[in-house]
Amino acid sequence: MNTLFVFKLVLVLLLLFIVFNLAKALFLLVKGDSETPMSQFLGRRVIFSVVAVLIILLAIGTGILSPNPRPY
């Protein structure tokens, strides 16, 4: 497998997990009756968002990804 493909796959799975945690927190907010606090799901979303940004920065730093060139 190509390194870029694996990187993109991991990033997409992380983003799907982030959206899943956000949706779980939303349903918990609407339902209002649960044993687990809503902040647990929102905290996971924040942690995995930070991990996703760090992975992107690491990929840019190692040369796996190349950012768009400056427009000027």
Side-chain angles (χ1 to χ4, degrees), residues 2-48:
N2 192 2
T3 307
L4 185 60
F5 176 73
V6 172
F7 168 75
K8 286 182 180 181
L9 182 66
V10 167
L11 193 61
V12 166
L13 290 175
L14 261 175
L15 292 176
L16 286 175
F17 188 68
I18 290 167
V19 170
F20 174 74
N21 276 319
L22 188 61
K24 264 190 115 160
L26 174 70
F27 287 132
L28 191 66
L29 176 70
V30 171
K31 190 176 175 184
D33 193 27
S34 179
E35 299 156 358
T36 58
M38 183 178 58
S39 62
Q40 178 181 358
F41 299 112
L42 293 176
R44 280 188 202 161
R45 183 185 65 91
V46 170
I47 288 173
F48 283 108

Side-chain angles (χ1 to χ4, degrees), residues 43-57:
R44 280 188 202 161
R45 183 185 65 91
V46 170
I47 288 173
F48 283 108
S49 297
V50 168
V51 168
V53 169
L54 289 176
I55 288 174
I56 290 172
L57 289 175

Side-chain angles (χ1 to χ4, degrees), residues 67-72:
N68 289 336
R70 298 174 98 182
Y72 49 88

